[in-house]
């Protein structure tokens, strides 16, 4: 069965960096686009970024453009999110999610999320 | 604020039918399909409706979706206590970004 397991969350000071990982199993990882979606405490869902199946295209929400980088290693079945220059407003649970296609469309399976807290 | 607009709350009694609306624009709902997610308390979102009106395997037929122009709606008939959750609409935008509604908290009275 499809399984997505995020890791790497924690408490980090404003301006610092953090890297998230998402280990995928139960499907052919290299055939699907992947998303990061976040949810601030008590708030709604916010789409963060998407990467095409082969890493050829990446798109970001404006608020993280230039600070966050989505990447993938298809040989390791792993999705990444490198977060730099973190701000308090980046505090959220970060979910990785599998797209139904090899390009961005919509997500069908989600991980359980990892909490990132940006605080001094 | 969110790109797609949903009412913040909705409610109904067991057995009732409730609908949740989702309003967007020509660059998202007007030109792409709409998907709906259900998020039970403390859990990850779950795909509920895709491509405007399709249900993934395992989703009861009490849940249905529709779309017209730049708006969409989710209907839940035969409301049950376990339907109490947050519901989000989502779509792909022409600016090559995913967009969500702000979410609707459904209370079963």
């Amino acid at each position: 069965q499809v399984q997505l397991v995020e890791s790497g969350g924690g408490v980090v000071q404003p301006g610092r960096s953090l890297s998230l990982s998402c280990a995928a199993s139960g499907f052919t990882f290299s055939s699907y686009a992947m998303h990061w979606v976040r949810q601030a405490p008590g708030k709604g869902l916010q789409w963060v970024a998407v990467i095409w199946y082969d890493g050829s295209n990446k798109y970001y929400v404006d608020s993280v453009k230039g600070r966050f980088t989505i990447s993938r290693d298809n040989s390791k079945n792993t999705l990444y999110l490198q977060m730099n220059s973190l701000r308090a407003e980046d505090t959220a649970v970060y979910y990785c999610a599998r797209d139904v296609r090899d390009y961005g469309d919509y997500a069908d399976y989600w991980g359980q999320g990892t909490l990132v807290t940006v605080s001094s | 604020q969110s790109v797609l607009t949903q009412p913040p709350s909705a409610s109904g009694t067991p057995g009732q039918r409730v609908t949740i609306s989702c309003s967007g624009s020509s660059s998202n709902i007007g030109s792409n399909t709409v998907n709906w997610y259900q998020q039970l308390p403390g859990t990850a979102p779950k795909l509920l409706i895709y491509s405007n009106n399709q249900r993934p395997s395992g989703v009861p037929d009490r849940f249905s979706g529709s779309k017209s122009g730049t708006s969409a709606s989710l209907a839940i008939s035969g409301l049950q206590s376990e339907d109490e959750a947050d519901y989000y609409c989502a779509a792909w935008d022409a600016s090559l970004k995913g967009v969500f509604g702000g979410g609707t908290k459904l209370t079963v009275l």
Side-chain angles (χ1 to χ4, degrees), chain A residues 22 24 27-32 34 53 72-74 77-79:
Chain A
C22 171
F27 65 101
T28 304
F29 180 71
S30 59
S31 296
Y32 294 86
M34 296 293 295
Y53 72 106
R72 64 192 298 159
D73 185 335
N74 286 344
N77 292 342
T78 303
L79 175 73

Side-chain angles (χ1 to χ4, degrees), chain A residues 14-30:
Chain A
R16 304 297 290 264
S17 299
L18 199 64
S19 180
L20 305 183
S21 299
C22 171
S25 60
F27 65 101
T28 304
F29 180 71
S30 59

Side-chain angles (χ1 to χ4, degrees), chain A residues 37 39 43-45 47 50 59-60 62 65 95 106-108 110-112, chain B residues 33 35 37 39 43-45 47 50-51 88 92 96-98 100-102:
Chain A
V37 177
Q39 186 169 34
K43 302 297 185 182
L45 301 173
W47 178 84
V50 65
Y59 301 101
Y60 302 89
D62 288 348
K65 213 174 288 186
Y95 296 101
Y106 66 93
D108 56 353
W110 298 59
Q112 287 306 300
Chain B
T33 59
N35 312 293
Y37 296 92
Q39 188 176 33
T43 69
L47 181 64
Y50 68 94
S51 298
Y88 296 89
W92 194 243
L96 298 175
K97 296 177 177 61
F100 282 96

